[in-house]
Amino acid sequence: MKTPTRICFLTLLLAILCHGYSSRAEAQSQLAATPPMGWNSWNHFADKVDDAGVRAAADAMVASGMKAAGYTYVNIDDTWEGTRDANGNIQTNKKFPDMKALADYVHAKGLKIGIYSSPGPKTCAGFEGSYQHEVQDANTYAAWGIDYLKYDLCSFTRTMREAHTSDNGHQLMLDAYTKMHNALVATGRPIVLSLCQYGWQDVWKWGPSVGGNLWRTTGDIEDNYERMANIGFGQLNLAKYAGPGHWNDPDMLEVGNGGMTADEYRTHMSLWAILAAPLLAGNDLTKMTPETIAMLTNRDVIAIDQNPAGHQGDRISALGMTEDWGRPLADGSWAVGIFNRKDAPAEGVLRFEALGLKGRVHVRDVWAAKDLGAMEHEYRAQIPAHAVILLRISK
Ligand code: GAL
C-alpha cells in the first residue's frame, strides 16, 4: 500500500472503530431507561450467598410473580470472588463452581444476572477487587454473560488517600470508574454500571460523566425504620440529577426482611417509588409471606417508580413530622405520599395547589386500590405512626 493510501485506510479504520465505540457507549447510557428492578443478595444473605441460593432466588422471582411485575436482575453482591489464575484472570470461589452455567440458568428464565466488584485491590468484604485488572475483568464478566456490575469503592479509598491532595484523589476515583465503564463498553455486551461510593463528593453531579447508570447516594441501609427513613427522607434536592439512563440510588430494599412493620415497609416502597429509585429487593425470595409479595409486586406502586417520564420526586411540604413527597408523571398526574414520621398517629394534609393543580381533581388511594372521587383544595386524613397514604392525583 502507498503511504497516502495507507493513511486513508488507517483513518477510515479508526473512524469505524470510534463510531462502533461511541454507539456502544450510547447504548450503555440507554441501558436503564427506567430504574433497574431486581434482587440483590447482600441485605439478607451477605457472605452466605452461593450458587444454589442465586438459582433459588431466580426460581422464586418467577414463581412469586415478581418477574411478571417487572423484576429482572438477579444480582450477586460481594463474596463470590476467588483468587486470580496465573494469567491474572479472576476466578470464582468454591461457593460458585461455574459462573457461566449460573448465568445461563438465570437467562433461561428470562432474567438477567448481576455481579459485584471494586476498583480497589480488595472489595469491602476483603475479596479480590479489579484494581489493575479492569479490562480483563470486564472481558470475564462479558464471557460469563453478566448484565449488571455494582462497582464498590471500598479499598480504593486507600489509593485515593495516597494521592495526597483531595483533588488528586477525586480525579483518581473518576478515572477508576471511567476505566471500568470503558472496559465494559469495549466488551460489546450491554452491562449496567452501578456506582457504589456511598454518595461521597456529590456523585450525582458527575455519575453520568463516568458512565454510571445509577449511583448510591448514601451509606448502607439497614432493616429498621430509623435508618430507612433517614436515608429516604434525606434525598432532598437530588431530583434534577436523575433521569432515564442515570438514577440516584438510595440503596436496596429491606421489604420482607422482618425488621419493620407493614406500614413502615409500605413507607419504604412508596418513598422509593416517588424517588424513582432502583427497586432491588434485598430479602429471601424463597420465604415470602403473601403480604411481602403483595407489597413488592403492587402494580400501581411499581408503575409510579417506573414511570417513563423518569422525573424523580422531592419533598413538597413538611408540617412537623408529616411530609408530603411527590413526583409528576408522564400523563400529567401526580403521585404523592403523605408520610407520618411520628411514633404516634397524626393528621396529614395535601394542598392540591402545591402541585399546581387548581379546581377539582380526581384522587386515588394507591395502596387501598380505591378511587376516592373528585376533591377540591385539599386532602386530609389521619395517618398511623410511620405510615403513608400514597395518592395518585389527576385533573
Ligand atoms: C458495602 C456496600 C454494600 C455491600 C457491601 C459488600 O460497601 O455499600 O451494599 O455491597 O459493601 O461488602
Side-chain angles (χ1 to χ4, degrees):
M1 226 186 275
K2 291 222 170 72
T3 307
T5 323
R6 194 181 299 150
I7 289 172
C8 268
F9 175 73
L10 287 175
T11 313
L12 185 68
L13 189 66
L14 201 64
I16 291 169
L17 289 176
C18 284
H19 177 73
Y21 178 84
S22 62
S23 54
R24 285 204 301 264
E26 205 181 306
Q28 175 84 18
S29 73
Q30 286 165 3
L31 264 181
T34 58
M37 291 177 66
W39 169 84
N40 173 292
S41 58
W42 187 255
N43 285 355
H44 186 88
F45 294 94
D47 63 344
K48 305 288 185 302
V49 63
D50 62 9
D51 179 281
V54 174
R55 286 172 193 250
D59 294 347
M61 195 178 275
V62 177
S64 64
M66 285 177 71
K67 180 190 173 211
Y71 292 84
T72 304
Y73 291 97
V74 178
N75 291 350
I76 306 164
D77 208 278
D78 204 353
T79 80
W80 64 267
E81 310 87 339
T83 51
R84 293 187 181 277
D85 69 13
N87 297 318
N89 293 313
I90 185 75
Q91 302 169 101
T92 53
N93 61 38
K94 286 206 297 276
K95 297 190 297 166
F96 290 90
D98 187 340
M99 196 62 91
K100 170 87 174 70
L102 178 56
D104 289 346
Y105 183 86
V106 171
H107 288 150
K109 301 200 157 275
L111 299 169
K112 293 185 170 157
I113 186 165
I115 212 165
Y116 168 101
S117 189
S118 169
K122 294 284 175 215
T123 66
C124 289
F127 288 72
E128 190 71 18
S130 293
Y131 186 61
Q132 293 181 340
H133 292 276
E134 294 80 1
V135 170
Q136 206 168 10
D137 286 359
N139 289 334
T140 302
Y141 304 152
W144 284 341
I146 298 296
D147 307 293
Y148 184 116
L149 172 67
K150 173 173 167 185
Y151 207 41
D152 193 354
L153 199 64
C154 305
S155 66
F156 196 77
T157 50
R158 196 160 155 204
T159 312
M160 288 163 64
R161 274 199 303 278
E162 285 164 7
H164 298 305
T165 72
S166 58
D167 276 359
N168 288 348
H170 180 72
Q171 191 55 50
L172 280 179
M173 176 171 56
L174 302 193
D175 293 349
Y177 279 117
T178 304
K179 200 179 217 178
M180 183 49 93
H181 165 68
N182 289 341
L184 294 175
V185 170
T187 67
R189 184 176 177 85
I191 300 177
V192 170
L193 177 58
S194 155
L195 314 184
C196 180
Q197 46 80 274
Y198 337 114
W200 292 345
Q201 302 177 0
D202 294 350
V203 58
W204 39 88
K205 293 188 178 156
W206 49 265
S209 72
V210 300
N213 295 112
L214 60 155
W215 46 81
R216 278 271 296 277
T217 55
T218 73
D220 289 16
I221 197 166
E222 290 161 24
D223 187 22
N224 61 73
Y225 180 75
E226 286 63 36
R227 183 67 184 146
M228 181 279 293
N230 262 334
I231 287 181
F233 295 111
Q235 304 296 298
L236 277 172
N237 300 327
L238 296 184
K240 68 173 177 212
Y241 300 104
H246 51 99
W247 306 101
N248 290 309
D249 171 12
D251 208 0
M252 303 164 298
L253 297 173
E254 293 282 7
V255 176
N257 276 333
M260 293 185 232
T261 65
D263 274 337
E264 291 169 344
Y265 280 140
R266 272 190 289 272
T267 290
H268 187 10
M269 280 296 286
S270 306
L271 196 45
W272 264 236
I274 289 169
L275 293 170
L279 296 180
L280 295 171
N283 57 320
D284 180 351
L285 302 188
T286 69
K287 295 192 181 77
M288 292 194 282
T289 62
E291 186 176 51
T292 295
I293 296 177
M295 269 186 224
L296 286 171
T297 60
N298 184 297
R299 293 297 198 281
D300 296 327
V301 177
I302 290 173
I304 294 169
D305 181 78
Q306 297 287 301
N307 188 260
H311 297 309
Q312 177 175 332
D314 212 330
R315 193 168 71 191
I316 295 164
S317 64
L319 195 68
M321 293 284 279
T322 58
E323 298 189 15
D324 297 348
W325 285 66
R327 65 180 284 192
L329 304 172
D331 63 359
S333 68
W334 278 78
V336 179
I338 308 176
F339 297 91
N340 175 15
R341 297 181 63 180
K342 267 178 40 180
D343 297 339
E347 187 177 54
V349 185
L350 170 67
R351 292 187 218 294
F352 302 131
E353 69 178 22
L355 310 174
L357 297 177
K358 297 217 169 67
R360 286 159 81 79
V361 295
H362 181 83
V363 181
R364 182 176 169 80
D365 182 328
V366 175
W367 286 110
K370 208 169 140 195
D371 284 325
L372 304 180
M375 294 186 190
E376 251 177 296
H377 305 304
E378 63 178 30
Y379 171 90
R380 224 170 242 279
Q382 199 61 18
I383 308 174
H386 295 180
V388 62
I389 294 184
L390 182 63
L391 302 174
R392 192 146 170 173
I393 298 152
S394 44
K395 271 310 279 178

